[in-house]
Amino acid sequence: DAKGKILTPGFIGSMNQLGLVEVSAVSRTRDAGEKKADITFDASSAFNPFSSLIAYSRKGGITTNVVTPRGGDSMFKGQAFVADLSGDLDSIVMSNAAVIVELGAKSKGSRAFEIQSLRHKLEDAQKALAKAQEKTDDEKDKKSEKEPKRDEKIINALLSGEKPLIAYADRATDIIALLDLKKSFNLDLVIGGAGDAIRVAEQLATAKVPVIIGAVDNLPSFDALHASLETAANLVNAGVQVVFSVSGDTHNLYQLRFDAGNAVANGMSKEQALAAVTANVADAFNIDAGRIAVGKKADLVLWS
């Protein structure tokens, strides 16, 4: 009997390592990173549907999660995958769902190098595609025609818009550089972290680029001097689509609804905060969930 109770879409977590990390301090339970990992890194085969953290997260109303690997030395951290939190062996809903790239401040070297490298990689792939299209049918039929490498196929998928690029960046200038890349290559871009996004809210809204932020991230850094508890509300009011991820590690995913509640306490409407953990996440990652509607999967939470 659901009378008097609240029904919502199942919440969608994102940008964490649920199912890939059980105990952060125990190395043999960590499968989210690999020193040699590059853009092709797909950690979904290591996903553990029986992780104790999955049932715990489900208690917090989370029914679907976007798992993102930590990668290795490359700026490309690998590819995200989507899992439901049923705890079943076949709970991977979508593999290779998005490409993850980490930009911004570096302990060694310059942030400019990786932005430049990303642009060059996209430019080279775009030129190669254009050159291939110029070839005649006879030239294409030759045995010498090379099959694109795995990483080239992934870059091509970014250029065609088949796959979103999730880029971690905080500083306003880094975000602007990413918006320039979106414009140049027509990328399906989502920005994660986005600590100083409020400084470029107008540009983000105009470009229709969603941001994934922590609702309670309000401590300043050299890359994000303007983070505050009102950031989420201010971004939404500026027309930016906001997605919430939890602050801290995978073990905090359970508290996603509390973070959304803090955003409501600091200026967001309840409907806006609910969208930030349901529909907006589904839209950013092309997931068939996040809404209660005819024809949609009955992926629901009934709250006491």
Side-chain angles (χ1 to χ4, degrees), residues 126-248:
Q126 194 175 62
K127 288 175 184 175
L129 286 171
K131 191 174 180 180
Q133 287 173 354
E134 290 173 1
K135 290 183 178 180
T136 65
D137 290 337
D138 287 340
E139 288 174 324
K140 290 178 181 178
D141 287 339
K142 288 181 180 178
K143 290 182 180 179
S144 60
E145 187 70 23
K146 290 183 179 180
E147 177 77 12
K149 296 177 181 178
R150 291 186 182 91
D151 60 334
E152 292 172 341
K153 288 180 179 178
I154 295 167
I155 293 292
N156 291 347
L158 289 177
L159 290 171
S160 67
E162 296 172 29
K163 203 184 288 279
L165 176 68
I166 315 299
Y168 285 103
D170 283 318
R171 201 161 81 173
T173 53
D174 292 335
I175 294 172
I176 290 296
L178 284 164
L179 294 182
D180 286 343
L181 287 179
K182 173 184 168 60
K183 185 176 180 181
S184 297
F185 302 100
N186 197 29
L187 300 174
D188 181 3
L189 176 67
V190 181
I191 296 177
D196 232 9
I198 196 62
R199 299 199 73 179
V200 290
E202 183 180 343
Q203 292 93 324
L204 285 164
T206 300
K208 296 182 179 178
V209 171
V211 297
I212 304 174
I213 64 173
V216 295
D217 290 347
N218 68 332
L219 295 178
S221 70
F222 286 109
D223 273 13
L225 293 172
H226 299 82
S228 75
L229 293 177
E230 292 81 29
T231 293
N234 291 337
L235 286 172
V236 169
N237 291 337
V240 180
Q241 190 178 57
V242 170
V243 171
F244 288 149
S245 64
V246 293
S247 304

Side-chain angles (χ1 to χ4, degrees), residues 17 20-31 53 70 248-252:
Q17 291 77 47
L20 296 180
V21 178
E22 189 69 17
V23 181
S24 300
V26 180
S27 60
R28 293 178 69 85
T29 72
R30 299 195 305 259
D31 291 300
L53 298 172
R70 290 200 175 104
D249 63 17
T250 300
H251 297 65
N252 288 338

